[in-house]
Amino acid sequence: MGLFSRLAGIHPIVNYLFAYLIGASTALSFAPYGYWPIYIVALATALYHSQALPSKSAFKYWLSFGFGCFSVGISWVHVSMADYGGMPLIASMALMALLALYLALYPALAGYLTQRYAYSSTWRNLLLFPAWWVVLEWARGWVLTGFPWLWAGYSQTHGPLAPLASIIGALGLTYLIALIAGALALVAQKQLKPIIAITAVLTLSTYAVVQTNPISRNGDSVNVALVQGNIAQSMKWEPDALWPTMVKYMDLSRQSLAETDIFIWPEAAIPAPEYMVKDFLDNANKVANLNNSAIITGIISHRDDDFYNSLIVLGNHDQKQQIDASYVGDGANEFRKHHLLPIGEFVPFEDILRPLAPFFNLPMSSFARGDYQQPNLSALGYQLTPAICYEIAFPEQVRANLTEQTNLLMTVSNDAWFGSSNGPLQHMEIAQMRAIEFGRPLLRSTNNGVTAVVDEQGNITHQLPQFETGVLTATVPLVSGTTVFTRLGEWPILLLSMLMLISATLVSLRRKIK
């Protein structure tokens, strides 16, 4: 680290280039790589390297760090714009850079505010930095509809701290990673006590959480089939492809009708409004009923002159054996996506943006927003808490829809927009974190992957290969119990961070008065 400090003194550009490179290295902490220690080391290095900078220079340093994080970590966004959005390469790269620069503002503010109010290394690294990092990460998750991708906590999905997510969630893990990084940065100043103490406490805490886990399997199980249609994105919304697509999903499902309770088809598996495919839905409804099953499918619903990205349940809603199927197309037992994707599902300033490029005029990009809190979907009497596409990245929204009766978490998506990039794999990793937080098995059905079944500890137990047509069948054990995170959510870690920042502000003001 000292070597880089001396190099940085040659020219400020060297400083910012180094910050960019260590920020970029954090991408290796997330799927598909999973080298979780890299994030901690990168933060610790940045903290140590920026400790002598004035607050304004610290802002630029951490802006460079953040730009490295996001320009590399979410470079897959470029695929959707260039390959499927019809944008020229230079335009898509420019928009990608602007997005990364915007997201970099959050770590930049965290670095600036940490430096602005620090009066000792210990105070700076162990109190201010973790608190500001968490508050700004949380803000990134809701400002301008929110983009909580690459939270530091997600790097621990397969790491040793993962069990603690059932108590403090992904955002709480972000706090711990920032705290460990702060303590690690102090080691370079020969302050060993903080890292030793934090390591001991976290080791004991993780062990205690594993040993006292309130979630246990209750002996019940449900047979599921997740259908991966692998429909080419270029054909997804073509009118001529509608019936072949629906028939494909039905034919794939028939292969396992006898042994399956619940079929799950992906987001917009039926790429048309409900009223346009009534005959097909009626037929699938009867088939499911006759086979004592239910089919949950993505579809476009139409209510009160608005279109919604929705999930409906065909077949039997209330119990395995019913005289008649439950679905009647009246909007009951339906989930409507609340957290819409900017550009993909609604276009801000659409009068200005839509004429600029095909990317701003994608098919079905004028959806209405469903309610924030909605009833669970019921299939054969089983209760499923759903999330469509990147809604699964918003833990508080999922928590708001979870009930004591929830048996399963379920998320559907169409990640074909992102090709063979890291985007779908990061998306899967985020879904796994939700299973750990809420202590419930999770079912993820997608158009072309990653389609998988996740147990209550966040482990993938069954998975289909990407970019292949297939049906994933599994017997999923059900569980009982409630995690602490289910009851309390993110608020304890946010309140702790805010209290620390208020205390730091008061101390800073007192020092100025003196």
Side-chain angles (χ1 to χ4, degrees):
M1 290 183 183
L3 171 63
F4 287 112
S5 293
R6 290 193 295 272
L7 288 174
I10 298 172
H11 197 283
I13 293 298
V14 177
N15 219 10
Y16 304 139
L17 177 60
F18 177 62
Y20 176 86
L21 292 175
I22 57 175
S25 74
T26 62
L28 296 173
S29 300
F30 303 99
Y33 315 106
Y35 301 124
W36 57 266
I38 289 178
Y39 204 107
I40 297 173
V41 173
L43 273 188
T45 303
L47 270 170
Y48 177 83
H49 193 225
S50 62
Q51 64 184 341
L53 296 175
S55 53
K56 289 183 180 179
S57 296
F59 178 89
K60 296 175 184 177
Y61 182 91
W62 286 96
L63 186 71
S64 300
F65 177 93
F67 190 65
C69 286
F70 296 110
S71 63
V72 176
I74 61 165
S75 57
W76 46 265
V77 173
H78 158 72
V79 176
S80 64
M81 294 187 287
D83 294 357
Y84 299 105
M87 271 197 168
L89 180 61
I90 189 169
S92 63
M93 293 295 286
L95 278 179
M96 180 67 236
L98 284 174
L99 174 61
L101 190 61
Y102 158 70
L103 296 172
L105 289 173
Y106 294 92
L109 284 171
Y112 169 79
L113 292 167
T114 295
Q115 204 75 349
R116 176 71 177 80
Y117 294 102
Y119 66 85
S120 73
S121 295
T122 303
W123 181 270
R124 169 183 182 266
N125 289 11
L126 301 183
L127 191 151
L128 283 175
F129 181 73
W132 276 122
W133 197 261
V134 163
V135 169
L136 269 301
E137 286 281 74
W138 170 76
R140 179 162 63 83
W142 63 266
V143 174
L144 298 178
T145 78
F147 191 74
W149 222 267
L150 299 190
W151 276 359
Y154 289 125
S155 69
Q156 282 294 311
T157 303
H158 309 288
L161 298 179
L164 295 176
S166 65
I167 307 287
I168 57 177
L171 199 62
L173 294 182
T174 294
Y175 182 91
L176 294 182
I177 287 172
L179 182 65
I180 295 168
L184 195 60
L186 292 176
V187 171
Q189 298 175 315
K190 300 181 180 181
Q191 295 185 48
L192 299 179
K193 290 182 180 179
I195 192 65
I196 294 172
I198 290 170
T199 301
V201 169
L202 291 181
T203 300
L204 292 173
S205 298
T206 303
Y207 177 79
V209 167
V210 171
Q211 295 302 312
T212 60
N213 187 358
I215 304 300
S216 60
R217 296 186 175 180
N218 58 26
D220 294 332
S221 62
V222 58
N223 296 323
V224 301
L226 314 182
V227 184
Q228 184 170 288
N230 197 33
I231 307 299
Q233 189 58 40
S234 58
M235 298 298 295
K236 179 73 177 177
W237 300 103
E238 290 294 326
D240 292 344
L242 174 58
W243 276 96
T245 294
M246 294 190 299
V247 169
K248 183 176 187 179
Y249 276 105
M250 198 69 241
D251 287 346
L252 288 169
S253 301
R254 283 195 177 94
Q255 300 172 12
S256 53
L257 272 171
E259 63 271 14
T260 299
D261 297 318
I262 302 173
F263 293 86
I264 300 180
W265 297 356
E267 177 186 15
I270 301 176
E274 239 174 317
Y275 61 80
M276 286 181 58
V277 291
K278 189 176 183 302
D279 290 343
F280 175 83
L281 294 177
D282 287 342
N283 178 67
N285 193 35
K286 292 174 183 176
V287 169
N289 168 249
L290 290 172
N291 288 275
N292 302 319
S293 62
I295 300 172
I296 302 176
T297 181
I299 197 169
I300 311 305
S301 65
H302 183 237
R303 311 282 176 228
D304 301 323
D305 297 324
D306 287 321
F307 290 94
Y308 296 89
N309 186 353
S310 298
L311 291 165
I312 60 173
V313 185
L314 306 173
N316 299 346
H317 293 181
D318 302 319
Q319 54 192 18
K320 187 173 178 64
Q321 295 183 336
Q322 296 181 192
I323 296 175
D324 297 311
S326 302
Y327 171 78
V328 293
D330 62 352
N333 204 19
E334 175 181 306
F335 178 82
R336 303 167 190 170
K337 187 177 183 183
H338 168 78
H339 217 115
L340 301 179
L341 182 67
I343 309 302
E345 292 173 315
F346 80 98
V347 179
F349 313 110
E350 59 181 328
D351 292 341
I352 298 172
L353 294 180
R354 285 193 185 275
L356 294 181
F359 178 68
F360 296 113
N361 198 27
L362 297 172
M364 304 309 296
S365 57
S366 296
F367 284 121
R369 193 183 303 275
D371 293 337
Y372 182 76
Q373 190 169 15
Q374 301 177 53
N376 280 194
L377 293 178
S378 180
L380 308 188
Y382 297 104
Q383 300 296 301
L384 296 93
T385 297
I388 298 177
C389 193
Y390 92 136
E391 283 186 317
I392 198 67
F394 296 88
E396 284 298 324
Q397 181 181 333
V398 176
R399 190 173 79 92
N401 287 276
L402 206 73
T403 71
E404 292 183 1
Q405 289 73 42
T406 296
N407 302 113
L408 298 160
L409 303 177
M410 182 192 74
T411 181
V412 298
S413 188
N414 173 30
D415 287 346
W417 288 105
F418 307 111
S420 58
S421 69
N422 293 344
L425 303 174
Q426 292 175 1
H427 203 174
M428 182 72 241
E429 185 174 65
I430 289 169
Q432 289 174 257
M433 182 59 73
R434 295 291 89 81
I436 302 171
E437 289 173 339
F438 299 112
R440 289 292 181 272
L442 178 140
L443 313 176
R444 186 170 193 262
S445 182
T446 69
N447 175 29
N448 67 347
V450 180
T451 295
V453 175
V454 180
D455 69 15
E456 67 277 11
Q457 295 177 348
N459 303 307
I460 294 177
T461 59
H462 303 76
Q463 181 176 340
L464 285 178
Q466 280 186 280
F467 316 116
E468 294 182 13
T469 299
V471 179
L472 182 63
T473 58
T475 298
V476 181
L478 301 181
V479 301
S480 299
T482 303
T483 65
V484 173
F485 185 78
T486 300
R487 293 194 295 268
L488 302 179
E490 296 173 339
W491 297 109
I493 201 68
L494 287 172
L495 287 174
L496 173 65
S497 297
M498 292 304 298
L499 285 173
M500 287 187 171
L501 295 178
I502 291 170
S503 300
T505 302
L506 292 175
V507 170
S508 178
L509 290 173
R510 184 179 301 172
R511 287 174 60 85
K512 285 184 178 180
I513 292 172
K514 290 181 179 179

